[in-house]
Amino acid sequence: MFCNQCEQTTRGDVCYQWGACGKSPEVDALQDLLVHCLRGLSQVALQAKSFGITTRDQDEFTCEMLFSTLTNVNFSADDFVAFVNRAIALRESLKLQIQALGNPAINSAIANFQPAGDQQQLIKQGKDLEFEFIGQSAKNVDIFSLKLTILYGLKGVAAYAFHALELGEHDEDLYVFFHEVLANLDAQDKSLQEWLDITLQVGKMNLKAMELLDAGNTNTFGHPTPTPVTLGVTVGKAILVSGHDLLHLRAILEQTAGTGIKVYTHGELLPAHGYPQLKQTYPHLYGHYGTAWQNQTHEFEHFPGAIVMTTNCLMPPHETYKDKVFTLGPVGYPGLQHVSIRDITPIIQKALALPGFVEESDRGTVTTGFARNAVLGVADTVVNAVKSGNIRHFFLVGGCDGAKPGRNYYTDLVETIPSDCVVMTLGCGKFRFFDKQLGDIGGIPRLLDLGQCNDAYSAIQIAVALAQAFQVNVNQLPLSLVLSWYEQKAIAVLLTLLYLGIQNIRIGPTLPAFLTPNVAKLLSETYNLKLITTPEQDLAACLG
């Protein structure tokens, strides 16, 4: 296999025998085969659009399928076989509509690719196509590096766009972009600069996707407000919901109302407590249990109720708790029961059959919900605090957490940041320090949880608004971005920041393995993108 799309890659290079995430070589091959089929589907979809044919089914399918290939989403070979066959069926459906208008369908090899009839042959096709793609790109490793960056970034954009479309937010330009990138990914006639331009366009379109998601979330659930969330538990039956999907969480809350079951969030769903239409409508949304995704094997084993995975973040479950884990949406794993969000009866039955919590515990609270409306609502106070010297600097310390050594850097950095500085955070990287008591500056909390990685749009809007208030550009603000990355959504957000021209970003704990030295140097020279060093050195540099 060949997979280097996440920070966890073997020896910081590439997973070639088995995925560090738990993905098998067979699933890796089927995922690559699916992407190949999506590339052919995209060519046909673009042709269909040019004739005025509606392609919404193909658009949404492409979005969801790219999401399914993200790290820690779906590990099921059977699922990917079904996805491949569905991709071909949707492609052929469009061809028939094109031909019905008296036009010949596109005649490229990839648009006419036929998958094999059994799983083992499909796996072989996937491996052959994977290495064919690598071989075509080996003539220029820097261009290959940018192609991988584009593909992985596109997967991150698809994740945000999928959540948005669940909430009824669509954008035709976004779908056209997906198809154009996929349809032309094997182009051999583009220069390094042209591929770099496409890479930045991924960042531009990710900003659009995050804006759509922000609109979907706030229109559906209200604007987040600062909300204390208990980290303890209460006596009774329980369901733990992990991942990112607020719509799935609401469906679980609706269907468990009146059952006596308490619902707890896990991981990136902590910010759900800040949305008024969730917390106020469903009092059995009790609290938050556990920390970041990489700790779930220990945390899930000790949770005495049913566990639901809604999006990426799933680790291969241990046998000790596998029977109480369920999957929803794009998530899949062999042996786990996949449930339709329209009827979660199996989840409820499992929760009622398990003992639940038999005694209460008090582990304190954390506050979430400092999204853009909440922060910008006190913008004048923030600006005055900066002008008066009470706030010296802002640090955005956020992103994805992970299991590799070196991530204690982020905890050490936050603990070292002086008391006249404010720390903003988002993503599961915050679980390194989310329960630290940092106090406040004139009533402004020194630790502001802006939300999920999905809420990076809020952070961008806060920075833009503060820049306008100070009549400077974002790069002139007393603001430093220190980011941790793990998977493809983090790459999409990074590309958005680069597209916006944000300078001096620090990223870690390692640079992506798919960036060649030349590409990394280019980004460093253009944007001053740099790898983290030590908390003391980076803090001194940020504070000047």
Side-chain angles (χ1 to χ4, degrees):
M1 64 184 288
F2 178 95
C3 185
N4 62 357
Q5 69 178 5
C6 81
E7 187 264 339
Q8 208 169 233
T9 51
T10 305
R11 294 193 297 274
D13 181 21
V14 62
C15 294
Y16 61 92
Q17 290 184 322
W18 196 275
C21 65
K23 178 172 62 175
S24 70
E26 291 76 20
V27 168
D28 177 69
L30 290 170
Q31 288 185 354
D32 288 328
L33 178 61
L34 174 60
V35 171
H36 183 83
C37 293
L38 293 177
R39 288 166 55 200
L41 172 60
S42 288
Q43 289 188 357
V44 178
L46 289 172
Q47 186 187 25
K49 287 178 186 290
S50 72
F51 294 127
I53 297 170
T54 299
T55 63
R56 180 55 59 84
D57 287 346
Q58 288 79 4
D59 297 342
E60 294 186 1
F61 177 80
T62 298
C63 186
E64 183 175 1
M65 290 303 98
L66 285 173
F67 185 17
S68 75
T69 67
L70 238 72
T71 304
N72 294 93
V73 176
N74 197 313
F75 300 81
S76 171
D78 290 344
D79 284 356
F80 284 104
V81 170
F83 297 159
V84 165
N85 290 327
R86 177 65 175 157
I88 299 302
L90 287 170
R91 185 194 72 190
E92 295 305 301
S93 172
L94 285 183
K95 284 184 182 179
L96 290 176
Q97 294 178 65
I98 292 169
Q99 291 163 353
L101 294 176
N103 303 292
I106 191 168
N107 194 33
S108 68
I110 196 169
N112 290 285
F113 171 79
Q114 291 299 322
D118 67 83
Q119 187 172 121
Q120 289 306 309
Q121 286 300 309
L122 288 171
I123 291 168
K124 182 179 186 305
Q125 282 183 320
K127 290 183 178 181
D128 290 344
L129 289 166
E130 177 181 42
F131 288 104
E132 179 184 328
F133 179 68
I134 295 170
Q136 289 174 349
S137 306
K139 300 169 188 176
N140 189 318
V141 294
D142 295 326
I143 286 179
F144 181 49
S145 171
L146 288 176
K147 284 186 176 184
L148 291 179
T149 305
I150 289 165
L151 178 58
Y152 299 158
L154 199 68
K155 291 182 179 187
V157 181
Y160 294 133
F162 173 78
H163 287 301
L165 71 86
E166 280 188 311
L167 295 163
E169 298 291 335
H170 302 268
D171 189 283
E172 177 66 14
D173 291 343
L174 194 57
Y175 297 136
V176 169
F177 182 75
F178 282 138
H179 294 312
E180 287 179 341
V181 171
L182 290 170
N184 295 289
L185 197 61
D186 61 350
Q188 303 295 312
D189 58 350
K190 296 184 186 298
S191 66
L192 184 70
Q193 183 59 51
E194 288 175 309
W195 285 111
L196 181 60
D197 292 342
I198 296 171
T199 304
L200 295 178
Q201 286 298 303
V202 173
K204 176 182 179 180
M205 300 310 290
N206 186 58
L207 182 62
K208 182 183 288 288
M210 290 193 299
E211 183 179 11
L212 288 173
L213 178 55
D214 179 84
N217 282 336
T218 55
N219 289 338
T220 305
F221 306 111
H223 283 277
T225 59
T227 304
V229 183
T230 181
L231 301 178
V233 301
T234 189
V235 174
K237 306 294 185 177
I239 291 176
L240 184 65
V241 189
S242 190
H244 303 75
D245 201 305
L246 297 178
L247 201 64
H248 286 178
L249 175 61
R250 186 179 71 176
I252 292 168
L253 290 167
E254 287 177 343
Q255 295 177 58
T256 52
T259 64
I261 296 172
K262 298 293 185 183
V263 176
Y264 297 79
T265 56
H266 177 269
E268 288 262 48
L269 275 175
L270 168 63
H273 295 268
Y275 285 92
Q277 295 303 315
L278 290 177
K279 187 63 177 177
Q280 295 174 14
T281 307
Y282 305 103
H284 60 300
L285 176 59
Y286 182 78
H288 187 78
Y289 177 94
T291 52
W293 65 272
Q294 76 276 6
N295 301 319
Q296 68 185 246
T297 52
H298 171 76
E299 293 168 353
F300 286 6
E301 183 170 2
H302 292 90
F303 187 80
I307 300 167
V308 187
M309 298 301 302
T310 66
T311 55
N312 58 306
C313 293
L314 175 65
M315 292 181 68
H318 289 185
E319 291 297 329
T320 52
Y321 63 83
K322 189 174 181 179
D323 66 328
K324 62 183 179 183
V325 181
F326 300 82
T327 60
L328 293 174
V331 188
Y333 194 89
L336 296 187
Q337 185 173 352
H338 190 81
V339 176
S340 168
I341 199 59
R342 293 183 294 274
D343 181 8
I344 66 161
T345 299
I347 299 171
I348 293 173
Q349 290 175 339
K350 176 61 71 172
L352 293 174
L354 291 169
F357 291 104
V358 296
E359 60 182 34
E360 293 190 2
S361 70
D362 183 1
R363 296 187 176 91
T365 63
V366 295
T367 301
T368 190
F370 293 101
R372 58 188 175 91
N373 263 32
V375 176
L376 296 180
V378 294
D380 290 344
T381 303
V382 173
V383 170
N384 290 334
V386 174
K387 289 181 176 179
S388 67
N390 291 328
I391 294 179
R392 180 175 22 157
H393 204 83
F394 296 90
F395 289 85
L396 177 60
V397 185
C400 311
D401 204 3
K404 272 191 174 182
R407 289 182 177 268
N408 286 339
Y409 163 94
Y410 298 94
T411 308
D412 296 340
L413 176 69
V414 168
E415 291 178 339
T416 308
I417 289 173
S419 60
D420 58 356
C421 300
V422 172
V423 179
M424 299 182 292
T425 188
L426 75 165
C428 62
K430 65 172 163 275
F431 288 111
R432 295 273 167 174
F433 49 81
F434 79 126
D435 55 354
K436 302 291 181 185
Q437 301 301 314
L438 301 185
D440 66 274
I441 301 174
I444 301 169
R446 286 193 57 233
L447 182 60
L448 301 175
D449 178 12
L450 306 184
Q452 301 179 343
C453 63
N454 295 15
D455 296 312
Y457 181 77
S458 263
I460 291 171
Q461 294 307 305
I462 290 169
V464 169
L466 289 177
Q468 291 173 346
F470 285 108
Q471 297 183 326
V472 298
N473 66 49
V474 172
N475 290 318
Q476 294 171 310
L477 284 172
L479 169 66
S480 297
L481 279 67
V482 187
L483 308 179
S484 54
W485 82 282
Y486 174 73
E487 40 86 323
Q488 297 80 68
K489 287 188 291 182
I491 294 303
V493 172
L494 176 63
L495 295 181
T496 296
L497 295 173
L498 299 183
Y499 161 73
L500 293 171
I502 307 299
Q503 299 276 331
N504 304 312
I505 300 169
R506 286 173 168 80
I507 187 172
T510 60
L511 287 176
F514 49 83
L515 295 183
T516 60
N518 284 339
V519 171
K521 181 181 178 184
L522 177 62
L523 296 177
S524 176
E525 291 174 347
T526 307
Y527 301 100
N528 204 22
L529 179 68
K530 61 193 73 176
L531 187 64
I532 58 172
T533 59
T534 67
E536 294 76 18
Q537 290 178 351
D538 290 343
L539 188 58
C542 291
L543 294 177

